[in-house]
Amino acid sequence: QVQLVESGGGLVQAGGSLRLSCAASGRTFSSYTMGWFRQAPGKEREFVAAISWGGGGTTRYADSVKGRFTVSRDNAKNTVYLQMNNLNPEDTAVYYCVARQYGSTRFSDLLSGDYWGQGTQVTVSS
C-alpha cells in the first residue's frame, strides 16, 4: 500500500510560480511512474505531467504546460515535484499526483494508476 500526500498549493498571482510536492510512503517508490493531473471546477480531470520509474529518465507534459512546468523526482526522499512557472488563471485547479508501478508515462496508463493523492488546490489570480 502506498499513500500519496500532495503539498505546496496556494494562491498566486498570474506570472508567479509554485512548487508542488507529492510525498509517498513505502519502500518501493522508485518502481512507480509518477504523474500529475489536475481538475478545475466543472471540468474533467486532465493530464499535466509524468516522470518514469527508476531514475526518471523519461518525462511527458501536456501541451498546455510545456515550457512552463517541470516534473522531477527524488527517490531518496520518496517525493515527486512539479515546478510551475509563469502561471496563468487557466492553471487554477486541484492538482493530484498518481502512482503506477512500472507504468508508462502515457496519460491513459496513469489515469488507471494504482494510487492517488488527495489533491492540493492551486489558484491563480489575474
Side-chain angles (χ1 to χ4, degrees), residues 18-20 36 48-49 69-71 80-84 95:
L18 283 174
R19 188 176 80 156
L20 304 184
W36 289 94
V48 176
F69 291 11
T70 303
V71 61
V80 62
Y81 304 98
L82 185 67
Q83 178 66 45
M84 306 186 295
Y95 284 70

Side-chain angles (χ1 to χ4, degrees), residues 1-2 25-32 53 73 78 101-102:
Q1 188 77 8
V2 174
S25 63
R27 301 180 180 180
T28 58
F29 177 74
S30 63
S31 70
Y32 286 85
W53 60 276
R73 66 188 299 155
N78 279 18
Q101 195 167 33
Y102 301 121

Side-chain angles (χ1 to χ4, degrees), residues 5 11 20 38 44 53 70 83 86 90 111 117 121 123:
V5 179
L11 174 64
L20 304 184
R38 66 187 181 186
E44 293 186 352
W53 60 276
T70 303
Q83 178 66 45
N86 194 21
E90 289 69 39
L111 202 56
Q121 176 71 47
T123 302

Side-chain angles (χ1 to χ4, degrees), residues 99-121:
R100 176 151 185 162
Q101 195 167 33
Y102 301 121
S104 77
T105 56
R106 291 189 299 271
F107 81 92
S108 56
D109 207 25
L110 286 165
L111 202 56
S112 55
D114 299 315
Y115 304 101
W116 288 83
Q118 84 289 349
T120 186
Q121 176 71 47

